[in-house]
Amino acid sequence: MATSAPRPDLLGLVFPLARALRRIEDDAAERHQLSMWQYAVLSVVAFRPGMNQLATAELLGYSRNRIVADLDLLEQRGLLTRRSGSDRRSNTLWITEDGSAVVAQVQRRIHVAEDELLADMPAADRRELQRLLASAATMATGTTAAD
Amino acid sequence: MATSAPRPDLLGLVFPLARALRRIEDDAAERHQLSMWQYAVLSVVAFRPGMNQLATAELLGYSRNRIVADLDLLEQRGLLTRRSGSDRRSNTLWITEDGSAVVAQVQRRIHVAEDELLADMPAADRRELQRLLASAATMATGTTAAD
DNA sequence: TATTGTTATACTCTATAACTATA
DNA sequence: TATAGTTATAGAGTATAACAATA
C-alpha cells in the first residue's frame, strides 16, 4: 500500500525559482551599475510614466522611503526625471530616452537568461506557468505589479 | 491594430506570490517562536532524518554557518537531536516526537493559509501551478528542496 | 489635520573569513 | 591537506520614526 506524498509547502516550490530569477535580475541590472530595485523602479517608470513616487513604490510593493535614494541616482544618471505637478507636494516620474534604452537592454538580457533557465520546459508549459503565476500574483496583492 | 503586451519579467510575477507565501510561513512559524528558516530546517529533518548539518543546509539552499545557531535553538527546545556518527566530525540530525508535532502543526496552518490565498483559483489550476513550479524549481537548482 | 517627499537611525539578515577537531 | 562544524565580524538590506512642505 503506497503512502501518498506529503503535501509540500508552496514556498518550498516558489523559493528556488524566485532565487534564481532574482539572481538573473541582479546580474542583468549590475551590468548597468543598477540594483535590482533601481531597475524595477526604472521599468515601472518606463511602462507607466507620470505616476508619483508613492504610487510607483506601492505598485512595486516597495517603500516610499527607500525609493528616494534610488530615484536620486536614476535622475542623476539622466535615466528619468522628476517633475512637480499641480499638487506641489508630489513628483511625477518620467522616463528619458537613455532610461528607455537601459530598460530595454536589461530586459533583453533578463529574457535571454530566463529562456536558458527554463530551456527544458515545453513552451506551452511556460505560457501556462506565466498565466498561473499572474493569476496567483493578483490574488496575493489585489493587483498585479507586472508590466 | 492592437500592440501586443510587452513580455513581463518572470520575477515580477513570482515576487508577489513569494512574498505572500513568505509572510504565511513567517506567521505560522512565529506562533511557535520559530523563524521561517528554523521551521524549514526542522521540516527537512522531519522528512529526511539522518542527514548531517551540511547536507541539510545545502538541500535548503541555506548556509552551513547560519544553520548552527538555528540547530542550537531547535535542539535546546527538544525538537531535534544531534548525534555524531562514525565520522566524528559530522552530526546527523534526528527529529523528536515534539519536533514532529510542531512541524505538523505549523504545516497545517500554512496549508490553510495557502488555501485561503488561492481560494479563487480552480483546484485544477492549483495542481497545475504546483506541478509547473516543482518542474521550474528543479531546473533552478538541479534538484528539488521541497519535501 | 492629512499627505508627499525626505532624512536619520536602529535592526535584521546575509556573506565572508577564520578557527577547531577530526579525517 | 581537506572537510564538518563553529564563531566572529563587517556589510547589505530593511523597517520605523520623525521632519518639512504642501494640501
Side-chain angles (χ1 to χ4, degrees), chain B residues 56-71:
Chain B
T56 302
E58 282 177 348
L59 183 63
L60 283 167
Y62 197 45
S63 136
R64 75 183 174 132
N65 307 318
R66 290 197 283 147
I67 205 175
V68 174
D70 294 326
L71 290 171

Side-chain angles (χ1 to χ4, degrees), chain B residues 12 20 41 43 51 54 59 78 104 106 108 120 123 133-134 142:
Chain B
V41 168
S43 96
M51 294 198 303
L54 183 58
L59 183 63
V106 173
R108 197 153 36 228
D120 289 341
L133 283 174

Side-chain angles (χ1 to χ4, degrees), chain B residues 99-118:
Chain B
S100 289
V102 166
V103 168
Q105 284 173 22
V106 173
Q107 214 166 43
R108 197 153 36 228
R109 189 169 288 278
I110 288 171
H111 294 162
V112 168
E114 287 175 355
D115 289 343
E116 277 173 24
L117 178 70
L118 300 179

Side-chain angles (χ1 to χ4, degrees), chain A residues 9 19 102 116 119 142:
Chain A
D9 300 341
R19 174 141 57 183
V102 166
E116 277 174 23

Side-chain angles (χ1 to χ4, degrees), chain A residues 4-122:
Chain A
S4 65
R7 172 174 170 176
D9 300 341
L10 274 183
L11 186 60
L13 301 176
V14 171
F15 201 83
L17 177 62
R19 174 141 57 183
L21 292 171
R22 171 65 190 259
R23 171 155 209 166
I24 284 172
E25 296 224 356
D26 281 339
D27 291 350
E30 197 199 6
R31 288 174 184 262
H32 293 263
Q33 282 89 49
L34 296 175
S35 72
M36 182 272 272
W37 281 113
Q38 286 156 2
Y39 159 71
V41 168
L42 191 63
S43 96
V44 165
V45 175
F47 291 105
R48 304 192 57 168
M51 294 198 302
N52 67 17
Q53 298 186 188
L54 183 58
T56 302
E58 283 177 348
L59 183 64
L60 283 166
Y62 198 44
S63 134
R64 75 181 173 134
N65 307 317
R66 289 197 284 148
I67 205 176
V68 174
D70 294 325
L71 290 170
D72 288 347
L73 179 141
L74 293 168
E75 191 175 30
Q76 215 165 10
R77 295 214 192 141
L79 303 179
L80 57 77
T81 59
R82 286 191 251 224
R83 290 186 213 154
S84 70
S86 51
D87 184 339
R88 300 211 335 268
R89 287 174 304 183
S90 85
N91 298 325
T92 55
L93 301 176
W94 305 90
I95 197 76
T96 65
E97 274 190 38
D98 284 356
S100 289
V102 166
V103 168
Q105 284 171 23
V106 174
Q107 214 166 43
R108 196 153 36 228
R109 189 169 289 275
I110 287 170
H111 293 163
V112 167
E114 286 176 354
D115 289 343
E116 277 174 23
L117 178 69
L118 301 178
D120 290 341
M121 180 178 288

Side-chain angles (χ1 to χ4, degrees), chain B residues 70-146:
Chain B
D70 294 326
L71 290 171
D72 288 347
L73 179 141
L74 293 169
E75 192 175 29
Q76 215 166 11
R77 295 214 193 141
L79 303 179
L80 57 77
T81 59
R82 288 190 248 224
R83 291 187 212 153
S84 71
S86 52
D87 184 338
R88 301 218 328 273
R89 288 174 303 183
S90 86
N91 298 324
T92 55
L93 302 175
W94 304 90
I95 197 76
T96 65
E97 274 190 39
D98 284 356
S100 289
V102 166
V103 168
Q105 284 173 22
V106 173
Q107 214 166 43
R108 197 153 36 228
R109 189 169 288 278
I110 288 171
H111 294 162
V112 168
E114 287 175 355
D115 289 343
E116 277 173 24
L117 178 70
L118 300 179
D120 289 341
M121 181 178 287
D125 278 5
R126 230 178 307 170
R127 278 193 302 272
E128 184 71 354
L129 176 59
Q130 186 172 315
R131 179 184 75 82
L132 294 168
L133 283 174
S135 169
T138 303
M139 295 171 190
T141 60
T143 175
T144 175

